[in-house]
Amino acid sequence: MTRPNFHRLRRHLAGWLLLVCTSPALAALSVEDLAERIGAGDPALGATKARAAGCMNCHGSGTASTSTPQLDGQLAGYTLAQIERFKAGQRSHPQIARDVSAPSITDAEDIAAWFASAAPMRGSGAAANADMARLFEKGDRSRDVIACVSCHGANGSGAISGSDSTPAIGGQSADYLRARLRSWRAGPQSGAPISVMNLITRALGDAEIDALSAWLSQLQPAP
Ligand code: HEC
Ligand code: HEC
């Protein structure tokens, strides 16, 4: 953890204690881990800014549209990187492009911190699918599919390595996951560099992507 982060950590400690008290899942994390997931932004300011920017109209809990990803508990570094991509036109979607281009980078940092500090998205924990569990845990060497868990963490809770954040995917909406995996399989997204996900999805069939998305969406990751 860098020094500036530590400063912020102390400044926001009161707010964080409140978060930790209201979320048993987050209470299991050390203050350092929580700081890493939240990044440099201020979650308390982010709450106000996200509402003002209208993010919650679509990303709020209980949103009807399942093609909209959940952002609760998502790693701030990942959320921020995606906002930057939308701004740069490397990622686009008719529903979000305008909204997400509006906040300044500082505001986006706070908004990302706020989402990261929320109790993580969680699926029903209901669906058993041994084939998908195996693909997630072990991958499939014969097709060059690397085990999802090695980058996305146990139960898809997301993982941080140096300055790279691999997103949380466990408990995410199945429709959104399916759309994302299919779009990677089709190729790099508008102007974005080739992602490791382009390579991983190459070997997956339609039925497999559907089953994998359904299985991932029922996971219950701890942060
Ligand atoms: C009108 C609805 C709408 C609004 C308002 C909206 N979004 Fe989105 N957002 C979406 C949709 C739909 C997607 C999925 C885009 C895709 O499939 O590529 C998305 C995707 C995202 C992603 C990528 C998530 C991921 O897992 O990769 C981030 C980050 C995001 N939005 C942040 C924001 C922020 C921050 C705001 C407020 C400034 C906001 N959104 C406002 C609909 C919306
Ligand atoms: C070598 C590391 C690595 C492996 C293995 C990996 N991923 Fe990923 N995954 C990433 C990275 C990095 C991103 C972010 C990519 C980006 O922003 O372009 C990502 C993004 C995703 C997303 C998008 C999440 C969102 O919110 O939009 C999904 C879904 C996903 N991966 C599913 C999988 C599945 C399923 C597997 C296993 C079959 C897998 N990944 C294996 C590194 C990996």
Side-chain angles (χ1 to χ4, degrees):
M1 191 168 43
T2 59
R3 261 159 193 263
N5 254 348
F6 190 63
H7 268 312
R8 280 173 179 271
L9 186 150
R10 289 176 50 165
R11 216 175 78 209
H12 306 315
L13 200 57
W16 285 8
L17 285 177
L18 187 73
L19 289 169
V20 166
C21 294
T22 51
S23 166
L26 294 175
L29 284 176
S30 71
V31 173
E32 283 80 7
D33 286 346
L34 193 57
E36 215 181 13
R37 293 182 75 93
I38 288 175
D42 180 333
L45 290 177
T48 315
K49 290 177 179 177
R51 289 199 183 91
C55 314
M56 304 316 289
N57 295 344
C58 301
H59 293 286
S61 52
T63 42
S65 165
T66 51
S67 62
T68 306
Q70 299 182 62
L71 300 176
D72 285 0
Q74 187 56 274
L75 302 175
Y78 173 75
T79 300
L80 201 56
Q82 300 310 304
I83 294 175
E84 282 169 4
R85 277 199 197 164
F86 281 118
K87 277 179 183 273
Q90 287 183 332
R91 188 172 168 185
S92 67
H93 190 279
Q95 269 187 41
I96 184 172
R98 197 170 30 98
D99 301 277
V100 95
S101 295
S104 70
I105 286 298
T106 315
D107 289 351
E109 221 170 42
D110 292 339
I111 292 173
W114 180 61
F115 280 118
S117 72
M121 49 193 168
R122 256 172 98 75
S124 65
N129 185 329
D131 289 344
M132 293 309 122
R134 195 176 319 110
L135 196 63
F136 182 83
E137 297 289 342
K138 308 257 184 256
D140 181 351
R141 274 194 179 189
S142 69
R143 296 184 290 159
D144 290 335
V145 180
I146 311 171
C148 321
V149 70
S150 60
C151 296
H152 289 281
N155 287 318
S157 63
I160 299 170
S161 163
S163 58
D164 294 330
S165 296
T166 307
I169 53 174
Q172 184 57 278
S173 141
D175 283 354
Y176 172 73
L177 293 171
R178 185 186 306 120
R180 256 333 231 146
L181 292 171
R182 287 190 182 206
S183 114
W184 266 311
R185 190 182 53 182
Q189 305 181 353
S190 45
I194 286 216
S195 161
V196 62
M197 291 307 302
N198 291 122
L199 307 175
I200 287 174
T201 46
R202 250 187 341 205
L204 303 178
D206 281 349
E208 201 170 26
I209 287 184
D210 290 356
L212 190 55
S213 304
W215 184 80
L216 289 168
S217 74
Q218 59 80 44
L219 288 176
Q220 301 188 320

XYZ file of all heavy atoms in Angstrom, residues 37 73-75 120-121 136 151-159 166-170 219-223:
177
model
N -9.108 -2.697 -1.992
C -10.299 -2.851 -2.833
C -10.944 -1.502 -3.130
O -11.505 -1.295 -4.198
C -11.334 -3.767 -2.144
C -10.891 -5.213 -2.015
C -11.964 -6.075 -1.389
N -13.055 -6.365 -2.319
C -13.112 -7.448 -3.094
N -12.143 -8.337 -3.074
N -14.134 -7.644 -3.908
N -19.603 -4.047 -4.548
C -18.458 -4.854 -4.143
C -17.416 -5.012 -5.245
O -16.403 -5.671 -5.032
N -17.656 -4.413 -6.404
C -16.659 -4.528 -7.491
C -15.385 -3.767 -7.108
O -15.451 -2.733 -6.449
C -17.251 -3.953 -8.794
C -16.388 -4.152 -10.022
C -16.016 -5.620 -10.289
O -15.031 -6.123 -9.739
N -16.833 -6.308 -11.069
N -14.237 -4.294 -7.492
C -12.968 -3.642 -7.166
C -12.907 -2.261 -7.807
O -13.175 -2.112 -9.004
C -11.803 -4.488 -7.692
C -11.740 -5.929 -7.178
C -10.619 -6.685 -7.857
C -11.551 -5.931 -5.666
N -20.710 -7.136 -1.215
C -20.553 -7.697 -2.558
C -21.828 -8.327 -3.112
O -22.642 -8.851 -2.359
C -19.494 -8.782 -2.373
C -18.924 -8.605 -1.034
C -19.854 -7.778 -0.227
N -21.951 -8.247 -4.442
C -23.057 -8.936 -5.102
C -22.990 -10.424 -4.752
O -21.906 -10.967 -4.546
C -22.962 -8.745 -6.618
C -21.602 -9.036 -7.217
S -21.537 -8.411 -8.913
C -19.797 -8.538 -9.270
N -14.214 -23.728 -14.055
C -13.836 -22.566 -13.258
C -12.581 -22.847 -12.423
O -11.658 -22.038 -12.374
C -15.004 -22.179 -12.340
C -14.738 -20.952 -11.512
C -14.939 -19.677 -12.041
C -14.278 -21.060 -10.206
C -14.671 -18.545 -11.278
C -14.007 -19.928 -9.445
C -14.209 -18.670 -9.980
N -7.304 -16.218 -11.872
C -7.267 -14.747 -11.980
C -8.411 -14.089 -11.207
O -8.221 -13.038 -10.609
C -7.360 -14.316 -13.440
S -5.961 -14.849 -14.436
N -9.607 -14.704 -11.247
C -10.777 -14.041 -10.654
C -10.981 -14.352 -9.174
O -11.904 -13.819 -8.563
C -12.048 -14.397 -11.433
C -12.114 -13.751 -12.791
N -12.487 -12.438 -12.969
C -11.815 -14.222 -14.016
C -12.442 -12.136 -14.264
N -12.031 -13.199 -14.924
N -10.141 -15.224 -8.609
C -10.217 -15.481 -7.179
C -11.298 -16.490 -6.803
O -12.161 -16.835 -7.626
N -11.226 -16.956 -5.568
C -12.177 -17.953 -5.072
C -13.606 -17.434 -5.207
O -13.884 -16.277 -4.877
C -11.884 -18.259 -3.604
N -14.480 -18.274 -5.729
C -15.883 -17.898 -5.950
C -16.046 -16.629 -6.786
O -17.061 -15.954 -6.700
C -16.627 -17.723 -4.623
C -16.890 -19.047 -3.956
O -17.269 -20.019 -4.624
N -16.656 -19.122 -2.663
N -15.015 -16.281 -7.555
C -15.124 -15.104 -8.416
C -15.227 -13.802 -7.649
O -15.927 -12.875 -8.060
N -14.482 -13.709 -6.540
C -14.594 -12.504 -5.702
C -13.749 -11.342 -6.211
O -13.780 -10.257 -5.655
C -14.156 -12.849 -4.273
O -12.799 -13.224 -4.280
N -12.960 -11.580 -7.289
C -12.085 -10.524 -7.807
C -10.729 -10.591 -7.129
O -10.609 -11.131 -6.024
N -9.697 -10.110 -7.804
C -8.354 -10.195 -7.231
C -7.511 -9.017 -7.694
O -7.687 -8.497 -8.797
C -7.693 -11.505 -7.663
N -8.486 -7.664 -11.360
C -9.316 -8.582 -12.140
C -10.699 -8.575 -11.504
O -10.825 -8.750 -10.291
C -8.716 -10.003 -12.117
O -7.365 -9.918 -12.534
C -9.455 -10.919 -13.062
N -11.739 -8.330 -12.319
C -13.050 -8.046 -11.722
C -13.675 -9.204 -10.952
O -13.424 -10.375 -11.241
C -13.916 -7.714 -12.947
C -13.244 -8.365 -14.099
C -11.776 -8.316 -13.785
N -14.514 -8.833 -9.987
C -15.392 -9.795 -9.334
C -16.440 -10.214 -10.352
O -16.985 -9.373 -11.070
C -16.077 -9.136 -8.132
N -16.691 -11.524 -10.479
C -17.707 -12.012 -11.427
C -18.727 -12.918 -10.742
O -19.791 -13.169 -11.280
C -17.072 -12.741 -12.634
C -16.114 -13.851 -12.175
C -16.335 -11.758 -13.530
C -15.561 -14.710 -13.320
N -18.412 -13.418 -9.540
C -19.336 -14.297 -8.822
C -20.560 -13.506 -8.380
O -20.429 -12.435 -7.804
N -22.969 -17.847 -7.671
C -21.896 -17.921 -6.667
C -22.087 -16.869 -5.575
O -22.714 -15.832 -5.797
C -20.531 -17.716 -7.330
C -20.008 -18.856 -8.212
C -18.681 -18.442 -8.857
C -19.820 -20.137 -7.409
N -21.509 -17.169 -4.427
C -21.622 -16.236 -3.303
C -20.224 -15.873 -2.808
O -19.747 -16.443 -1.828
C -22.427 -16.888 -2.181
C -23.816 -17.295 -2.632
C -24.691 -17.774 -1.498
O -24.218 -18.482 -0.619
N -25.950 -17.385 -1.509
N -19.564 -14.950 -3.527
C -18.197 -14.642 -3.143
C -18.115 -13.863 -1.836
O -18.982 -13.038 -1.560
C -17.688 -13.771 -4.297
C -18.890 -13.246 -4.971
C -20.044 -14.145 -4.647
N -17.083 -14.156 -1.072
C -16.712 -13.255 0.012
C -15.711 -12.299 -0.613
O -15.040 -12.674 -1.563
C -16.068 -14.046 1.132
N -15.600 -11.061 -0.137
C -14.660 -10.152 -0.769
C -13.222 -10.619 -0.568
O -12.952 -11.331 0.380
C -14.901 -8.818 -0.076
C -15.541 -9.155 1.217
C -16.278 -10.444 1.015
